Amino acid sequence: MPAMTEPKLIAGNANRPLATAIARRMSMHRGMNVGLVDARVERFNDQEIFVEVYDNVRGEDMYIIQPTSNPANDNLMELLIMTDALRRSSANRITAVIPYFGYARQDRRAKARTPISAKLVANLLTQAGVDRVLTLDLHATQIQGFFDIPVDNLYAAPIFSLDIMHNFKGRMDELMIVSPDVGGVARAREIAARIDAPMAIVDKRREKAGEIAEMTVIGDVAGKTCIIVDDICDTAGTLVKAAQLLADHGATEVHAYITHGVLSGPAVERIEKSVMKSLVVTDSISQPEPVKNARNIRIVPTAPLFAQAIMSTWNGTSVSSLFELETLLPIYEGMYSAA
């Protein structure tokens, strides 16, 4: 049975523009104003986090919009403390909407005496009182199994497919989807299948951790417009090297579609100086002005996707239908009507 109360949104400080955009999209769906719950998330002088919710949330279906991006620890603590505040205020159900799930890269013990931090974060969220998680492109899909509560993992692949078909219209036969490593083959294959394009792989060999000894291309990219697909771009070192390698192997153009633009350190400078004609990221992470002003970086919105997913969660309809272009195209009609 659908919930009787309206869904209510609350946001921390990690990505308020995205939270506001989601509320605006939900207002369009509901035909009524959906705003963010009035609250303050502040710091004491010693940087302890303080949360106070001003609106009554008793019995409400609450959605906390808070990616755990940089600063990851602060944003994670904000999420946990907001959850505790809502639980102690008798919210009926608490869904953590985490557009970027931090610590996801630590999903297994690759070496002795190392943590599985993704599992620790899952435990923290559950113990704090989160009833459900809604996220986007988990670095490793098995992280869903770290939770004993429902987890809806949305995908950027349908949005990227729409964007590619829109921006490369008339050139689709020139495209080649490229995975930047063997581990990302499934992600690249998903987009390649959606747009009916061939696929190549950049194979990396490491002599020791953090240092790439050799990179080779598996597949013929000569004369192709290559599109690198990945979930996270941090310092962009590997991405830029992969783009240069593809160009050296005869690719006419190199573009990249990355879900989460972490873009730390020298990333923006490297991307602007690289052979890549464009890097497309989502707004799962709030980007600073240098990223927004970069000549070859473009940001695509996820608010329509999250707004519809929240509505589907609230009224008990299918979330997985958002993985299909037929469902997603009407949601993004203003952007991709000519796709």
Side-chain angles (χ1 to χ4, degrees):
M1 291 290 293
M4 296 304 293
T5 58
E6 293 290 325
K8 287 196 173 181
L9 311 182
I10 187 170
N13 295 316
N15 197 341
R16 289 194 70 87
L18 175 58
T20 302
I22 292 172
R24 188 179 302 119
R25 290 291 305 197
M26 288 180 63
S27 297
M28 295 169 59
H29 285 300
R30 300 296 297 157
M32 59 184 294
N33 183 46
V34 177
L36 299 177
V37 166
D38 191 15
R40 63 176 174 137
V41 183
E42 298 178 350
R43 301 288 192 276
F44 290 117
N45 289 335
D46 64 354
Q47 298 306 302
E48 283 186 11
I49 296 166
F50 173 76
V51 173
E52 183 177 7
V53 181
Y54 296 122
D55 293 353
N56 178 30
V57 298
R58 184 179 298 274
E60 299 288 358
D61 194 3
M62 299 299 304
Y63 294 82
I64 308 174
I65 302 171
Q66 177 80 344
T68 52
S69 49
N70 185 35
N73 297 333
D74 286 359
N75 289 330
L76 176 59
M77 281 304 299
E78 280 191 13
L79 175 58
L80 295 172
I81 294 172
M82 283 191 292
T83 300
D84 188 71
L86 294 174
R87 180 175 61 85
R88 294 178 187 277
S89 302
S90 301
N92 181 51
R93 182 174 69 168
I94 301 170
T95 300
V97 181
I98 312 175
Y100 171 70
F101 189 95
Y103 287 104
R105 286 175 282 186
Q106 300 177 51
D107 63 305
R108 66 193 185 282
R109 296 190 71 197
K111 297 181 180 178
R113 296 174 296 282
T114 57
I116 305 179
S117 302
K119 172 58 176 172
L120 174 61
V121 171
N123 289 344
L124 289 170
L125 291 169
T126 304
Q127 290 301 312
V130 170
D131 297 301
R132 191 180 195 97
V133 172
L134 178 62
T135 188
L136 176 68
D137 266 355
L138 282 170
H139 183 64
T141 55
Q142 67 263 24
I143 292 174
Q144 295 173 84
F146 294 173
F147 291 87
D148 292 324
I149 56 176
V151 177
D152 290 310
N153 182 33
L154 304 177
Y155 299 99
I159 305 174
F160 286 164
S161 299
L162 284 174
D163 195 272
I164 291 169
M165 289 187 289
H166 178 80
N167 287 287
F168 294 91
K169 192 173 184 178
R171 303 171 54 195
M172 297 298 291
D173 58 341
E174 303 172 8
L175 300 185
M176 171 81 80
I177 301 299
V178 180
S179 172
D181 52 45
V182 175
V185 167
R187 186 177 295 105
R189 185 183 293 121
E190 170 74 11
I191 292 183
R194 286 177 179 274
I195 67 171
D196 193 23
M199 193 180 79
I201 303 169
V202 174
D203 181 38
K204 295 179 292 190
R205 292 181 175 85
R206 299 181 187 271
E207 291 185 347
K208 54 184 177 180
E211 293 186 13
I212 299 174
E214 183 182 2
M215 298 177 74
T216 57
V217 178
I218 302 173
D220 184 10
V221 299
K224 292 290 187 179
T225 297
C226 290
I227 298 177
I228 301 172
V229 175
D230 207 354
D231 66 323
I232 297 175
C233 176
D234 193 345
T235 61
T238 301
L239 178 64
V240 167
K241 288 179 181 178
Q244 185 62 57
L245 182 67
L246 294 169
D248 293 343
H249 279 70
T252 55
E253 291 181 11
V254 181
H255 303 261
Y257 279 75
I258 311 292
T259 305
H260 306 296
V262 177
L263 302 179
S264 58
V268 176
E269 181 181 2
R270 285 175 173 172
I271 291 164
E272 287 195 298
K273 292 181 178 179
S274 73
V275 299
M276 280 190 296
K277 292 199 67 174
S278 70
L279 166 64
V280 177
V281 297
T282 74
D283 59 355
S284 63
I285 296 173
S286 181
Q287 297 296 350
E289 289 304 313
V291 174
K292 295 177 182 177
N293 296 332
R295 65 170 182 84
N296 56 349
I297 299 178
R298 183 163 55 86
I299 302 172
V300 297
T302 57
L305 177 69
F306 276 110
Q308 186 61 54
I310 290 171
M311 293 300 302
S312 297
T313 301
W314 169 73
N315 62 27
T317 56
S318 173
V319 173
S320 61
S321 64
L322 295 173
F323 305 159
E324 303 300 326
L325 291 182
E326 293 77 9
T327 306
L328 204 62
L329 184 55
I331 300 172
Y332 278 86
E333 188 173 6
M335 287 186 63
Y336 303 122
S337 56

